Every structure is written in structure tokens, then in C-alpha cells.
Amino acid sequence: MEQLKHECGVAMIRLLKPLSYYEQKYGTWRYGLKKLYLMMEKQHNRGQEGAGVACVNLDAPAGEEYMFRERAEGKDAITEVFGRIEGLKNGKMEEDAESFNSAFQFFNSQLLMGHLRYSTTGKSGLQYVHPFLRRNNWRAKNLCLCGNFNMTNIDEVFRFLTAQGQSPRVYGDSYITLELMGHRLDREVERLFVEAKDKGLQGREVTSYIDRRVEMANVLRTTMPHFDGGYVMCGLTGSGEMFAVRDPWGIRPAFWYQDDEVVVVASERPVIQTTFDLQADDIQELEPGQSLIVRKSGDISLQQILPAKQQSACSFERIYFSRGSDRDIYLERKRLGEQLTPIIMRAIDNDVANTVFSYIPNTAEVAFYGMTDGIRKLHGEVRTEKVVWKDIKLRTFISDGSERNDLAAHVYDITYGSLRPYEDNLVIIDDSIVRGTTLKESIFKILDRLHPKKIVMVSSSPQIRYPDYYGIDMSHLEELCAFRAAIALIKEQGMEEVIASVYRRCKEEPLAANHVRAIYAPFSVGEINQKIVEMLRPEGMRAPVELVFQRIEGLHHACPNHQGDWYFTGHYPTSGGVRLCNEAFVNYVEKVLKMQL
């Protein structure tokens, strides 16, 4: 119900045949562009704040543009970007590929890269929309980057760059990553320049020598060890290198496919399946710490850039963010719903005959199917209804706080008559409960109008107790309803020393451990559930409410290959995540509680 801003989406295509090949076989020189457009639209769920496309034309002669990009902001950014690209052709869309190598055909290129942006920093503006471009008169020194990432130690990397004498124009992980990798690319090119000169080469011979021999693995191995975070970093060079590299914990996802015509990379597997009409098993997953590198020649290699760490692939990808059309994700989400069946049956006292089952939002639909399948196995017939509808989007022109809250209460609507008043329980499943704002301001109020005997609010994920620092907009502890509930319990029971103790440890030993876990230690899941209900229950609501959350063991059983559970357990895979969580608690105490302990 509460939309989370989260990971971005990436898409890359390397055409391995001459450009004329695709026109002859597929009837259009726009083959690569069309495929890139489809890959980006199929990942629209991953970014609605901006989009960008970049390309490299290996055939462009000196004096003409060979590396270009287009970017736009807003939910319609993909349409705007590709509309501009077609406009760049000045109406020459039907001409053949060979006659189109001109300044008007920047995107008739062999290397294409696209990006969809969701901001996790709160920063907005075209300057923050990927891809990012670093220019140079040497083709091999031009670098274009985009990625699905969030770095937790950007302060350290910034200090490293400035200590070397660099002065980044913008303080942000994207720009600083570009400058650090660009610096390492410069060194790689200069190494090859010395080699070429030692061999007696001159002029264009030196350039050709460098362009054919750039080793992106060298650049990545001297760049990526500086970063702590979750990432899939993608890039193009002006000399025709293409690469994608995944963080050593495997936090962020990446998939790739290769045949004799193309090499493609995307954030999600079904995107490649649909765009290229493939089976799931045709597509490979980029392994943790690994890079896929395509050279100017078209030669493809997998390089282990960093040693793989403990497997920590993000479980929220499976619960919420990724497309549910993926074969494995679909089955995992069904399992998440089905294995909640015993807890739900206890919550309704096994009275299935007098219970209606439903879901909200649409992303919870697959978990709903799993939940109802589980109930049917135990009971047989199950009553299901579409109880809640997303009705309107809150408009920002209403600025007064009270008016805005009133309008927010009407964002959702109900199906009147879907329950028998005062007789039926209502079980409604969501994929996650994060802040609880929508439950309090809208959902509970409108559900109470149906007069259910009891509302059982089910989350297919466990309690979200900790912020994320690897690409999802969950950075403040006080926004999480589970955290607020734990703090309320501490205060009610006169245990303020727990807060003071955690604060001191977070200040004194921010890297030793995640000290915030001690905030939850005194309480059971049930106690926190009950306090969340008290906090979110709107005034005047009559129906009793019970919360049911997924168990951690159930999460791991449903998603066995995605063990990244820091949202729920506080077990961050990197030291940067631990440090930032402890710092978040210090900020909470000092700025929200306004205490100096």
C-alpha cells in the first residue's frame, strides 16, 4: 500500500553483427533501439522519476559524434527520450544503415545502454538522471556509466579522490563513482600508450593499439574495491568496451544473455525473456563480484573482479520489487502466502465459512493466491472478494495539512456489500507493512465501514525493523512502524536505559555491531504487533484488528537463494550498512527525541 522508492533498472545491448545485418534480417536498422525500448518499458516498475539512453557508434569517423546520450525526467521519461531520438533522425527513418552514418544518426550504434531512475537520496533534477558521461578527446578515455546502486561509504571515496588531487564537481555517489573509474580508465589508457610507444608505433597506430587492448577488468579491479554497498554498475567506453559488474554480496540483481547476434543485460530475467522470446533457462545470472565484459572486437568474457562474499541477495526483490512474471519469483510469492495459512487460521478461530479473503495492493496478488490455496487445502471452499480499490491519486495542489489528510483517506475505496456486516471476518494480505501511514489514514477507516467482525491484516514479509542503505528509500528508523512500536513499549515499561545504552554504543563503536538490534530484544513479535495495532488504529474504529507477519524462517524457506534479510533482522552484509544504521539511531535520539545521552 505504501509505495517505496527503490532500485533502478538497467538495460544494455551489444550488437555483434554489422548494422546492415539487422536491417536485412529484421527489416529495420532500428533493431537495437526497438529492443532497448522494450527492455526499458518492461522495467518501468523500477523507475518512474527519470530515464536515459546512451550509445557508442564504432563506425563513426573522426570529427563526428560517436558517443551520445538522451535523458528526461518524470514518469513519461522513456517515451520522451525515445521520441527525441527519433526526432534526431530528421525524418530519415527508412534509409538503410550504411547511408545513415551521419551526425543525425547517433543512435544507429552497436552499443546501447538504458537506465530507469528511482531516487533514494531525495535529490532530483536532470543532472542526477543516468547515464553519466565523462568526455575526452581520446576515444578510449570516454566513459559512460549507469547503475542500480547505493554506496554506503561515499565520504571515504570522496576523501580518497581529493587526496589524489581530484576535485569532483558534484558530491554524490554516481558522480564520484564516475570520476574514480574514469581516473582508473585514464591510467589504463596511459599504460597502453607507453606500451605502444615502446613498440615504435606512431600517430593513429597508437590509437588503434589502445582501442583494441583496453582491459576493463584492470579498471574494475582497481575501482570497485573502494566501494561498500549494493550495486550493479554498467558502462560503455568510447573505444567500444561494454561491461556490467555486480557487488560481491550479490545484493542487487543482474541477468544476461548471449547469442551470435546480441549480448544483453537487464535487472530482471523476464525482461530479457519477453524482449527476445527466450526461456528462463536461456538466461544467466551475473554472479556476485563478477563482471560481464564485451570488448570492441565483440569477444565476451566473465571476469571475477572481487571475491564473492557471503550470499546476501536482496529478499525484498522477491517479495515486492521485481516483476512477478518471473518463473521463480511467482512461485516464491505464492509460498510466502501459503505458509502463513496456520497463523491465519488461528487468527480467525478456524472459521473459514464466515471469513472473506482479499488483498491490497496489486503486488500482493500472487501471495494472495498462495494464501487461499493453503486455506483450500485445509478447508475446501474459500470466499474471496475484491474488497479494496485504488481510487485516486493524491494531488499536491491541496497544501493544507488537514485537507491533505482528509483527501488521503479517500485514495482507496471499498466494495460495498462484499461482507456480511458483523458476521464475516476479513483477512486482507499485503506484501509489506513499512510505515503504516496508509493503514492509519485510509485503509482501516474504510474497511471499518463494512462492519467486519474482525480484520486480520497479513503481511507476506516479516516486520520491517531496520532501514536499507543499498538502494531502497528506507533510511530513517522513526519512519518504520515496528521501530516506533518498540520505542513506545520501552517508554511504557520504564526501560529508557535501553535507549541510552544503545545510543552510547552506537556513538562509541559504530562499526562493532548493529547495536540497534537491542531495541527489539526485550519484546516478542506478538507484543510489537499489538503495539503497532494500537498506534495505527484510527480513532472511532470499531472492528478488532490483528496483525500477522511472515516469520523469518518462512521468508528463508520461500526464498532460499535470497538470504539478504537486513530489513527484518538487522544483519547487514557490509560494514557500511552497520555503521549507517547505528548513525541513524544516534540521529533519531538527538533530532527526534532531542536527547543527549
Side-chain angles (χ1 to χ4, degrees):
M1 283 169 293
E2 300 159 281
Q3 184 180 17
L4 298 176
K5 295 180 180 179
H6 53 91
E7 304 102 293
C8 302
V10 297
M12 303 182 80
I13 298 177
R14 172 61 155 93
L15 301 178
L16 299 175
K17 301 285 189 182
L19 293 173
S20 57
Y21 169 91
Y22 303 94
E23 183 177 16
Q24 293 167 8
K25 181 172 180 178
Y26 298 105
T28 175
W29 60 263
R30 291 184 292 168
Y31 174 80
L33 271 177
K34 289 173 64 178
K35 294 298 187 184
L36 186 70
Y37 173 77
L38 283 173
M39 291 173 71
M40 292 178 69
E41 280 290 5
K42 292 295 181 181
Q43 295 182 104
H44 211 154
N45 58 300
R46 302 186 74 88
Q48 298 178 35
E49 294 185 2
V53 172
C55 70
V56 175
N57 186 347
L58 300 179
D59 300 329
E64 292 190 4
E65 184 62 80
Y66 54 87
M67 195 172 195
F68 200 80
R69 68 173 173 175
E70 275 288 343
R71 300 180 295 171
E73 292 185 273
K75 62 182 179 62
D76 297 319
I78 300 174
T79 301
E80 185 176 342
V81 164
F82 280 88
R84 287 185 200 161
I85 291 171
E86 300 214 355
L88 287 171
K89 308 303 179 294
N90 279 358
K92 299 181 180 180
M93 302 298 292
E94 301 305 319
E95 297 194 21
D96 60 70
E98 272 70 24
S99 67
F100 225 95
N101 285 321
S102 69
F104 297 110
Q105 197 174 353
F106 299 126
F107 283 90
N108 184 28
S109 301
Q110 296 90 341
L111 287 79
L112 297 159
M113 180 169 74
H115 184 267
L116 295 137
R117 180 178 190 258
Y118 248 134
S119 170
T120 61
T121 64
K123 296 178 179 178
S124 61
L126 196 61
Q127 64 175 321
Y128 294 106
V129 177
H130 303 207
F132 296 96
L133 189 56
R134 191 175 190 260
R135 293 289 199 180
N136 195 283
N137 270 356
W138 287 78
R139 288 187 69 140
K141 287 188 176 182
N142 284 268
L143 178 63
C144 193
L145 281 185
C146 74
N148 172 14
F149 63 92
N150 200 49
M151 305 303 186
T152 66
N153 66 331
I154 207 65
D155 292 348
E156 297 170 26
V157 181
F158 182 81
R159 288 193 294 270
F160 174 77
L161 282 175
T162 54
Q164 290 184 321
Q166 294 195 58
S167 183
R169 295 180 298 110
V170 178
Y171 187 88
D173 53 4
S174 300
Y175 277 92
I176 289 172
T177 302
L178 178 69
E179 291 304 326
L180 177 56
M181 191 176 295
H183 177 261
R184 301 316 308 167
L185 180 61
D186 290 348
R187 299 290 82 77
E188 171 67 11
V189 172
E190 288 156 13
R191 176 185 71 81
L192 292 169
F193 180 86
V194 172
E195 276 188 14
K197 285 295 188 180
D198 288 345
K199 292 179 181 294
L201 302 179
Q202 300 292 327
R204 298 291 301 174
E205 293 177 326
V206 175
T207 301
S208 179
Y209 182 89
I210 292 171
D211 288 353
R212 293 195 310 268
R213 289 172 173 79
V214 171
E215 291 286 351
M216 279 310 301
N218 291 344
V219 177
L220 295 173
R221 288 192 178 106
T222 54
T223 301
M224 303 320 296
H226 290 280
F227 292 105
D228 180 297
Y231 57 81
V232 171
M233 195 73 65
C234 300
L236 310 173
T237 71
S239 58
E241 303 292 312
M242 182 179 102
F243 65 88
V245 59
R246 190 180 185 192
D247 68 79
W249 299 273
I251 294 171
R252 301 271 71 90
F255 297 86
W256 63 278
Y257 167 75
Q258 168 202 353
D259 59 25
D260 63 341
E261 295 182 347
V262 295
V263 181
V264 296
V265 177
S267 294
E268 300 192 29
R269 181 171 61 180
V271 169
I272 302 176
Q273 283 184 253
T274 300
T275 302
F276 293 91
D277 192 18
L278 302 169
Q279 299 300 312
D281 294 337
D282 296 330
I283 299 162
Q284 307 297 315
E285 185 170 7
L286 196 63
E287 296 298 324
Q290 192 178 68
S291 179
L292 173 71
I293 298 176
V294 186
R295 307 197 64 161
K296 178 181 181 180
S297 63
D299 293 336
I300 300 155
S301 65
L302 290 169
Q303 304 269 357
Q304 194 67 36
I305 301 302
L306 294 169
K309 306 286 187 179
Q310 180 179 353
Q311 211 277 0
S312 300
C314 174
S315 56
F316 234 123
E317 281 280 348
R318 320 302 279 185
I319 298 169
Y320 177 79
F321 292 133
S322 293
R323 291 170 65 89
S325 58
D326 183 275
R327 176 191 65 189
D328 296 338
I329 291 174
Y330 183 84
L331 295 174
E332 289 168 10
R333 289 180 181 176
K334 285 195 73 174
R335 281 198 295 270
L336 285 167
E338 183 173 358
Q339 60 198 17
L340 286 164
T341 299
I343 311 174
I344 294 169
M345 291 293 286
R346 288 196 294 272
I348 62 173
D349 292 327
N350 297 304
D351 188 8
V352 176
N354 293 305
T355 300
V356 171
F357 296 85
S358 191
Y359 64 90
I360 183 173
N362 289 341
T363 50
E365 184 175 5
V366 179
F368 166 77
Y369 293 145
M371 174 183 71
T372 51
D373 284 351
I375 300 293
R376 286 189 183 95
K377 290 176 183 177
L378 293 175
H379 184 270
E381 185 178 351
V382 176
R383 294 171 59 200
T384 62
E385 299 286 354
K386 179 71 172 176
V387 173
V388 183
W389 299 80
K390 185 86 176 273
D391 198 27
I392 61 172
K393 184 175 182 180
L394 178 65
R395 299 299 180 185
T396 57
F397 61 80
I398 295 183
S399 57
D400 180 75
S402 60
E403 291 184 58
R404 182 179 294 271
N405 289 340
D406 181 64
L407 184 59
H410 298 280
V411 169
Y412 291 90
D413 207 346
I414 49 174
T415 304
Y416 291 96
S418 55
L419 273 71
R420 294 175 300 192
Y422 309 108
E423 294 182 30
D424 288 334
N425 302 307
L426 174 60
V427 174
I428 192 159
I429 190 167
D430 193 356
D431 38 42
S432 60
I433 299 172
V434 185
R435 301 173 181 92
T437 307
T438 308
L439 287 176
K440 182 178 180 66
E441 298 296 335
S442 179
I443 299 298
F444 282 159
K445 289 181 179 178
I446 63 172
L447 292 181
D448 199 44
R449 296 177 194 165
L450 295 174
H451 307 298
K453 184 169 63 175
K454 180 180 184 180
I455 297 172
V456 180
M457 192 73 214
V458 182
S459 170
S460 65
S461 71
Q463 290 177 352
I464 297 172
R465 298 181 168 193
Y466 305 92
D468 179 71
Y469 301 105
Y470 305 123
I472 300 168
D473 186 18
M474 275 193 261
S475 57
H476 302 290
L477 279 164
E478 62 270 20
E479 293 180 353
L480 307 178
C481 62
F483 177 79
R484 298 198 308 272
I487 292 293
L489 288 169
I490 286 173
K491 290 180 178 180
E492 285 177 6
Q493 299 183 23
M495 301 167 61
E496 283 84 353
E497 176 53 31
V498 173
I499 297 175
S501 174
V502 170
Y503 174 81
R504 288 192 296 269
R505 282 180 283 166
C506 288
K507 290 274 283 190
E508 295 167 4
E509 299 179 308
L511 289 172
N514 180 4
H515 306 299
V516 184
R517 297 182 73 236
I519 292 294
Y520 298 96
F523 312 111
S524 68
V525 170
E527 288 174 306
I528 294 175
N529 283 355
Q530 186 174 348
K531 179 53 64 175
I532 292 173
V533 170
E534 291 177 20
M535 293 168 58
L536 300 185
R537 186 183 181 86
E539 186 176 351
M541 183 178 182
R542 289 170 291 182
V545 177
E546 182 172 344
L547 285 180
V548 170
F549 283 92
Q550 185 74 246
R551 297 165 61 246
I552 297 296
E553 297 80 6
L555 172 68
H556 290 164
H557 178 263
C559 309
N561 298 319
H562 289 72
Q563 298 293 304
D565 61 4
W566 54 90
Y567 315 88
F568 318 113
T569 65
H571 294 309
Y572 291 93
T574 77
S575 59
V578 171
R579 175 179 57 81
L580 289 175
C581 186
N582 288 328
E583 289 178 1
F585 188 80
V586 171
N587 290 335
Y588 167 75
V589 171
E590 294 179 354
K591 296 179 181 179
V592 179
L593 297 185
K594 300 186 184 306
M595 299 168 64
Q596 296 285 339
L597 302 177

